[in-house]
Amino acid sequence: MSGVWVFKNGVVRLVENPGADSLDGRRKVLIHIPSNEVITSYAVLERKLYSLGWERYYDDPDLLQFHKRSTVHLISLPKDFNKFKSMHMFDIVVKNRNVFEVRDM
């Protein structure tokens, strides 16, 4: 049995997809802090990352990847924006401190 045990309203249940974004019904969104803009597409995200010195990396055709020359960091995202999950958002936040944040909607 794999997953995460969640305690809510006095009930314990097993959530078998711990990678799901919203255990409590709220979804996560990536926010560009300087503009307070919600990232709604890869086109918007790509413009923000380019302005921070990130470059597209074309090594894997199944992923969107960005690399910053001055670091060893690589951001790897699924090609389909609908598969863009909170783990991807937090990866972007960690690699771009004080520029992005993840919020509950």
Side-chain angles (χ1 to χ4, degrees), residues 11-63:
V11 177
V12 175
R13 66 185 174 93
L14 178 64
V15 176
E16 293 191 15
N17 184 5
D21 283 343
S22 57
L23 297 177
D24 59 359
R26 294 180 292 179
R27 69 181 183 100
K28 307 272 188 210
V29 292
L30 183 65
I31 303 290
H32 180 251
I33 297 170
S35 65
N36 202 34
E37 181 180 0
V38 177
I39 303 301
T40 56
S41 69
Y42 281 147
V44 173
L45 177 61
E46 195 166 1
R47 282 194 303 275
K48 303 296 183 189
L49 291 175
Y50 280 160
S51 72
L52 296 169
W54 290 87
E55 301 173 352
R56 274 292 299 274
Y57 190 69
Y58 295 94
D59 192 46
D60 189 332
D62 297 325
L63 298 171

